[in-house]
Amino acid sequence: MNYSNILYEVHGPVRVITFNRPEVRNCIDIETAEELCHAFDQFRVDDEARVAVLTGAGESAFCAGGDLKAAFAGRPPIPVTPEDIARHNRGEAPGCIGPTRWTDIYKPVIAAVNGVAYAGGLEWACFADMRIAEEHASFGVTCRRWNIGLADGGTQRLPRIVGMGRAMELILTGKVIDADEAYRIGLVNEVVGKGQSLQRALELAEFMSTLPQDAMRNDKEAAVRGFGQPLSEGLRIEAECFNRVTVSVEARARMFEGLRKFNERDHPDRVPGQGLTPGIIRDDDH
């Protein structure tokens, strides 16, 4: 597929997906949503792709949400026909502005938030597992003032990230918060200088790409599927994901290679100059 409104770039095992409509603050119309579905499906099934980084083109916006001007002109990125609405209600549609309702991408996704992340843009930031925000970035459910609801995970992912009280404050008031406040409430993981979010996200992505992938993906799956479940069910899911490592000969071989590296201290932070990336906890024994 040839993309017109996004970029899909290969950086070794990392895929950088960029909202590429800076002239409209990277907001998402129907075509952009379709391209995002294709790009994330490509990332999901590509055995060579280990981590995705999501960012926006330009210096002012990560993503300002859905394209409301296109919607006003009669091209809303929402279900319109009764059949489409029924699919959406059943959870069979990907999302209004892309694959934001997908829950089965168990590879890491990092958002490099390089400007405003409003409405659907905030929902896309919450879609990621980690968020690196530039110091001038801002976040808000700004669609509140236009009588437009959240339809791409905001009401579900935001409370899981910052807690119900903080999430309800943002959802109900539509207030905009800056990067420092977003960091304080746990919405973002790091705040960096202007123009540095993509570099930092790539640094983290490249580091995570060097780690054994089986356990990482299984742990992400267990965390995602188990969140909100009774503890007993969450533990059952964790056991199911953990035990996959012993199911196949190939998986067992990779597990025992990890055990060998542990016992022989054969890993990068035992080699001078090749320690773990800055900001990652160092621990020689685990």
Side-chain angles (χ1 to χ4, degrees), residues 4-271:
S4 299
N5 296 333
I6 68 169
L7 300 175
Y8 187 89
E9 300 172 300
V10 177
H11 294 252
V14 179
R15 302 295 179 265
V16 177
I17 300 172
T18 305
F19 304 118
N20 191 31
R21 303 183 74 208
E23 70 282 0
V24 289
R25 300 209 295 180
N26 296 320
C27 64
I28 299 171
D29 60 6
I30 295 173
E31 289 76 19
T32 310
E34 291 174 351
E35 291 181 8
L36 287 164
C37 286
H38 186 277
F40 271 94
D41 187 53
Q42 184 175 340
F43 165 68
R44 177 169 56 180
V45 302
D46 183 356
D47 290 338
E48 301 300 317
R50 294 191 166 192
V51 183
V53 172
L54 181 64
T55 193
E59 299 180 350
S60 63
F62 171 72
C63 174
D67 190 335
L68 301 187
K69 290 185 178 179
F72 186 70
R75 300 181 65 253
I78 61 174
V80 175
T81 68
E83 293 78 11
D84 286 342
I85 292 172
R87 286 184 63 245
H88 200 252
N89 286 341
R90 292 193 301 267
E92 297 171 359
C96 295
I97 54 173
T100 45
R101 295 181 71 167
W102 292 0
T103 59
D104 61 347
I105 297 178
Y106 299 128
K107 299 176 181 179
V109 179
I110 304 172
V113 184
N114 57 314
V116 302
Y118 293 163
L122 174 57
E123 292 180 294
W124 263 114
C126 291
F127 177 84
D129 303 301
M130 300 173 63
R131 285 152 292 281
I132 310 299
E134 295 185 15
E135 58 191 3
H136 68 290
S138 55
F139 304 80
V141 185
T142 53
C143 54
R144 182 57 54 244
R145 66 194 68 173
W146 315 124
N147 196 33
I148 297 172
L150 296 170
D152 288 82
T155 65
Q156 301 305 304
R157 292 193 177 98
L158 187 59
R160 285 166 165 77
I161 295 168
V162 303
M164 184 61 76
R166 293 294 187 186
M168 292 305 286
E169 180 183 5
L170 294 173
I171 291 169
L172 297 178
T173 67
K175 67 181 289 188
V176 172
I177 61 174
D178 62 18
D180 287 338
E181 177 71 3
Y183 177 77
R184 189 179 70 81
I185 68 174
L187 178 56
V188 303
N189 300 85
E190 294 184 34
V191 178
V192 297
K194 187 173 183 178
Q196 296 178 18
S197 63
L198 180 57
Q199 177 184 344
R200 177 57 177 154
L202 283 170
E203 182 181 74
L204 288 168
E206 288 163 2
F207 166 70
M208 287 189 284
S209 296
T210 67
L211 296 172
Q213 297 295 298
D214 293 335
M216 178 190 296
R217 294 178 190 177
N218 287 342
D219 284 353
K220 176 179 175 178
E221 179 180 347
V224 170
R225 290 175 53 201
F227 193 95
Q229 297 288 339
L231 179 58
S232 59
E233 175 61 12
L235 293 171
R236 187 203 64 77
I237 292 169
E238 181 184 75
E240 172 193 325
C241 294
F242 174 81
N243 288 328
R244 279 199 203 117
V245 180
T246 65
V247 168
S248 69
V249 173
E250 294 81 4
R252 284 199 300 274
R254 290 192 293 269
M255 180 183 69
F256 278 102
E257 173 62 9
L259 295 175
R260 181 198 66 77
K261 287 184 175 182
F262 172 81
N263 282 286
E264 297 180 10
R265 290 299 194 252
D266 178 16
H267 46 88
D269 51 326
R270 283 286 173 170
V271 180

